[in-house]
Amino acid sequence: LEDLNVFANTCVIFTSSYGHTYESPNAEPTRTLREASLRVPLIVRDPRPGTARGEPRDATVRNLDLPATILDYARVPRPAAY
């Protein structure tokens, strides 16, 4: 991104699947509704002025939240489904 000279204006979003539940001893498949299988990691780098930097949040992030969050960052109106 730096080589393309777009890093300063690019929102970077990192997320992952629920694979971390398999690392736990006695972990059940992620089709169960346990907290470890409901949460997903989310790291966002927002280059816009006035955004928080390096502030961890304890809020729950669900995969259902990700499309709406990404649309918000892109300043794209959300479809009625969200």
Side-chain angles (χ1 to χ4, degrees), residues 12-68:
V12 178
I13 300 173
F14 170 83
T15 189
S16 180
S17 69
Y18 305 112
H20 65 282
T21 58
Y22 288 109
E23 297 173 5
S24 303
N26 303 319
E28 296 181 26
T30 57
R31 66 180 175 268
T32 62
L33 292 177
R34 299 195 186 277
E35 183 177 357
S37 66
L38 291 174
R39 290 180 171 229
V40 296
L42 178 64
I43 300 172
V44 177
R45 179 203 173 269
D46 186 348
R48 294 178 288 191
T51 57
R53 299 281 193 259
E55 293 185 14
R57 310 287 177 163
D58 194 31
T60 300
V61 176
R62 301 173 302 155
N63 63 346
L64 296 173
D65 300 325
L66 296 178

Side-chain angles (χ1 to χ4, degrees), residues 62-78:
R62 301 173 302 155
N63 63 346
L64 296 173
D65 300 325
L66 296 178
T69 300
I70 292 168
L71 290 172
D72 287 347
Y73 275 105
R75 295 184 177 135
V76 173
R78 292 184 195 179

